[in-house]
Structure formats: C-alpha cells, structure tokens
Amino acid sequence: HPHLPVSIDTFRADVAKEISHCLGPIIINDISGGTMDDKMFEIVAELGLPYIMMHIQGTPQDMQVNPHYDDVVREVREFFTERIARLNALGFNNIILDQGFGFGKTVAHNYELMDKMDSFLDLGYPLLVGISRKSMIWRLLEITPQEALNGTTVLNTISLLKGAHILRVHDVREAVEAVKIVETMKMSGWMTCHSTIPAVTDMLNECLVPNWGISIQSSERSTTSCCTPFTSFPKMKAYFRPLSMANCSREILFSTCSTDRIVYPSFFNA
C-alpha cells in the first residue's frame, strides 16, 4: 500500500524532513514534543504532516530518575497548551496528543493521567494512548511484561471509554476486540461518546488513513511474535494497512513489535 502514510519515530527535524522527502506523506511521532530539536516545529509546519506531540519529563536516558510533579495533570496540560500555541503561531494545526505514559512518570503519575484523561479532550485534538505492556501495568500487578496482556487490554478499554482516539499497541487482535466492543456500545447508545471533538474525525480521515488502520513497526532485529499475521514484513520500519471493520472509523491502532526496545531502550521499564 505505497499510497498510505507510515509513522516515523524521531525527535530530530532533519530526520523527519529527509524521510518525508523519501517516502512522501508520513506521520511524525516525536517523543519530545519538539523540546529536543529547536527546528522540529519549523519543519513540521513546513511539511504540513500529521504530528504526534508526546509529553516527556527529562530525556530517555534520565526520565525515570525520580520524576516529580506538583500536579501531573495540570503540568502535562500546560505543556500541551504552550506547545500547541507555538505550532498554531506557525499556522500548523495537524496535531495528535500523547500524554507519554511511562516517559518521566511514576506508576502513580501514570494512573492519575489515565483517570483524568477526559480533562484533555477540550484541547480539541485527538488523544493517542500507548500503554502496551508498560511497567505501570506489570509493576502494579507484580508480573512480567510478557504477562501484561490482560492488564494492557483493560487499560486500552478504559482509554477508549475516556475518549482516546488512537491506541498504540503490540497485540493487535486483543486491541481490535476492545475497539469493536466499545464502538458497538457507542453506536448502540449505551454510553456517552467522549470522542466528539470538532474536526477530529475529518482530521483522521483526511490526514491519516481513509478509515481505520494498523501501523506496525518491525525490523530484522525485532521479535515479531506480537504481530504474527504481519511477520511477512520483517524489514519494514513501519507499515500501514487499512481494515474494513464496522464501527471503527474513528479509531487508529498503532501496533508496535519489540522494535521499541531498539528505538527506546528503556521502553519496557517505562
């Protein structure tokens, strides 16, 4: 599917620009929210491509060394507000927000952000949630990352109920089932839908994928057991595949294999 965009994990402006020139339309996934490269926002605005803005306290090397907040929800929200304003001043509005679970947060910080996720909806941008097999699950339950699938599914479902528009996952089948159940509840009128943000649906449809998709990150070095149906694409950094699933037009799933260990060495400790 060469016409579909791929998601590129980078906080370097020159990398984002070079890859966009090579591949065409991409999604830029920046774990630093533009704080690690002063040129990132300028390049993002120039390219006009969808930009995932993640919050992080510190750097990947020191982010889990005694992270501290007076009020984690307020401070993450203030970070987004300030960063969004900078991009808006450059005429750019194609933004997706990622609270950065595990990136400079304690277990308690992560669950407070999860509990108050709906307080970010009025910022007016789609929310991406990436909690797959993270330590906020396995440390709490006193298990291993390999045993954290059930906890992951629980938190993915809670995220959807609280208004998340995008899930970034390792385990595609289980996430698809969670999305389908929550979307069926929404469509049946059993619950209030948190996902009614103005322009969000148009943004996802026009800038990301036609309907609903799965983005897979893999590599020859990675173990692809989490993405068994897609192991025929081991060399691809990212791959976007549209699916025709009823009631899932508002959700996008980002599925990552253990490449996360390569891109973010501290991922499974996050």
Side-chain angles (χ1 to χ4, degrees):
H1 300 276
H3 63 290
L4 294 177
V6 296
S7 174
I8 304 300
D9 290 343
T10 184
F11 53 78
R12 297 182 174 90
D14 57 346
V15 172
K17 187 172 184 177
E18 184 66 25
I19 294 178
S20 70
H21 288 166
C22 293
L23 299 182
I26 61 172
I27 303 166
I28 301 169
N29 184 30
D30 179 2
I31 65 165
S32 78
T35 62
M36 296 181 184
D37 188 332
D38 292 339
K39 296 181 180 179
M40 178 60 88
F41 280 5
E42 178 183 339
I43 294 300
V44 165
E46 175 187 326
L47 296 174
L49 298 171
Y51 176 69
I52 299 172
M53 176 192 294
M54 196 190 83
H55 174 273
I56 182 174
Q57 185 180 90
T59 68
Q61 291 72 36
D62 63 15
M63 63 185 184
Q64 290 307 106
V65 180
N66 299 319
H68 172 78
Y69 302 85
D70 292 328
D71 184 330
V72 65
V73 174
R74 175 179 58 78
E75 291 174 50
V76 173
R77 183 183 167 90
E78 287 176 352
F79 171 87
F80 283 145
T81 301
E82 186 270 335
R83 300 268 100 191
I84 289 169
R86 288 196 182 195
L87 281 173
N88 288 169
L90 295 172
F92 185 82
N93 199 41
N94 200 354
I95 304 166
I96 299 166
L97 303 179
D98 180 349
Q99 295 164 289
F101 291 99
F103 284 78
K105 284 100 176 167
T106 64
V107 171
H109 292 147
N110 289 322
Y111 281 101
E112 186 172 356
L113 284 169
M114 176 68 65
D115 183 51
K116 302 291 175 44
M117 185 182 301
D118 50 0
S119 67
F120 291 85
L121 293 176
D122 66 346
L123 293 175
Y125 295 94
L127 297 181
L128 180 151
V129 172
I131 47 77
S132 183
R133 298 181 182 265
K134 287 189 174 181
S135 66
M136 65 182 289
I137 300 168
W138 56 263
R139 289 188 191 281
L140 177 68
L141 301 179
E142 299 182 345
I143 56 177
T144 67
Q146 291 72 28
E147 297 172 308
L149 175 57
N150 186 60
T152 295
T153 302
V154 170
L155 287 188
N156 280 336
T157 303
I158 291 172
S159 298
L160 293 169
L161 292 173
K162 285 185 170 292
H165 303 86
I166 304 169
L167 299 177
R168 191 170 189 261
V169 306
H170 295 88
D171 306 280
V172 178
R173 182 187 300 275
E174 291 79 4
V176 168
E177 291 173 352
V179 169
K180 188 172 184 178
I181 288 171
V182 172
E183 281 297 300
T184 299
M185 292 175 64
K186 292 177 182 178
M187 297 297 290
S188 301
W190 298 344
M191 57 173 283
T192 301
C193 177
H194 287 285
S195 301
T196 54
I197 298 176
V200 164
T201 303
D202 290 341
M203 176 178 166
L204 294 180
N205 288 340
E206 293 175 9
C207 301
L208 298 183
V209 294
N211 292 290
W212 179 93
I214 295 177
S215 172
I216 298 176
Q217 292 184 323
S218 184
S219 77
E220 291 180 297
R221 294 174 56 191
S222 67
T223 302
T224 55
S225 59
C226 294
C227 301
T228 303
F230 304 97
T231 53
S232 58
F233 304 99
K235 296 182 181 180
M236 300 190 72
K237 175 62 179 175
Y239 177 79
F240 227 94
R241 175 178 179 180
L243 300 179
S244 56
M245 175 175 284
N247 301 332
C248 290
S249 61
R250 292 185 183 177
E251 263 68 33
I252 314 294
L253 260 69
F254 283 82
S255 169
T256 62
C257 294
S258 59
T259 301
D260 285 284
R261 289 180 180 267
I262 299 169
V263 179
Y264 308 129
S266 58
F267 176 81
F268 280 102
N269 292 320

